[in-house]
Amino acid sequence: MLKDDSLLLIPNVLKVFLENGQIKSFTFDSRTTVRDVISSLQDRLSLRYIEHFALVLESGGLDQNQRLHLLQENQPLSHVVHRTYFQGMKCLFRICFFPKDPADLLRRDPAAFEYLYIQVGIQNSLGPHI
C-alpha cells in the first residue's frame, strides 16, 4: 500500500521535488548517476554555479522527525529509486552547502540565489524542525 504523498512507481523514472513545488522526472539506465541528474537540473533551471546544490532523500514528514540524507554524486539512480519507493522517501534538489557570501551568489548566479531564497523562505515558514 502506498503512503499519502507517494506516487506510483514508474520503472526507470526518478521524480525530483523542487523547492518551488515543481516535480521533474528523469529516466535512467544502469549507468545513470546522481551527478547526471544534477547536471540536467542545472541546464533545466538555468543555473550557472552548481557547487552549492545536491540531491537529498527526505524521510519522515511534517508530523514526524524529518531527516535529510545527502546523496553522493557517483551513486547509481537505481539505488535512489529503490529507497524512494520502498522506504517511503522523497528525492529533493536543495542547496546543501550554504554560500559564504550570498550577495556574491546573487551577482554570479541570480537563478541559484532565487532558489536559495525560496528554500530558506519555505524553511522559515515551516518552523525550526526542518
Side-chain angles (χ1 to χ4, degrees):
M1 179 145 180
L2 294 174
K3 295 184 179 180
D4 309 70
D5 294 323
S6 297
L7 299 173
L8 294 175
L9 178 66
I10 301 171
N12 297 338
V13 173
L14 173 69
K15 294 188 182 303
V16 177
F17 294 81
L18 305 181
E19 293 296 331
N20 63 6
Q22 293 181 356
I23 301 171
K24 300 290 185 187
S25 298
F26 296 90
T27 57
F28 63 91
D29 59 28
S30 62
R31 297 171 307 204
T32 310
T33 65
V34 167
R35 180 72 196 142
D36 298 325
V37 172
I38 292 172
S39 294
S40 180
L41 283 167
Q42 180 179 12
D43 292 340
R44 289 183 186 189
L45 300 174
S46 302
L47 301 170
R48 283 187 246 147
Y49 296 94
I50 201 73
E51 67 267 11
H52 302 291
F53 291 87
L55 288 181
V56 297
L57 292 181
E58 175 189 59
S59 62
L62 294 178
D63 55 342
Q64 303 171 354
N65 289 332
Q66 182 187 43
R67 294 186 134 182
L68 298 176
H69 308 273
L70 186 64
L71 297 175
Q72 302 215 358
E73 289 188 347
N74 60 349
Q75 189 170 7
L77 280 194
S78 56
H79 295 175
V80 175
V81 169
H82 177 80
R83 290 180 74 184
T84 59
Y85 183 70
F86 294 108
Q87 296 179 16
M89 297 180 163
K90 286 171 52 174
C91 187
L92 308 172
F93 183 62
R94 296 182 57 93
I95 290 187
C96 293
F97 309 102
F98 202 84
K100 288 182 182 178
D101 182 5
D104 183 50
L105 180 63
L106 174 61
R107 282 189 296 280
R108 293 184 311 134
D109 190 349
F113 181 83
E114 180 181 4
Y115 201 91
L116 171 65
Y117 184 81
I118 291 169
Q119 180 176 316
V120 170
I122 289 172
Q123 284 179 321
N124 288 335
S125 69
L126 294 176
H129 63 280
I130 294 182

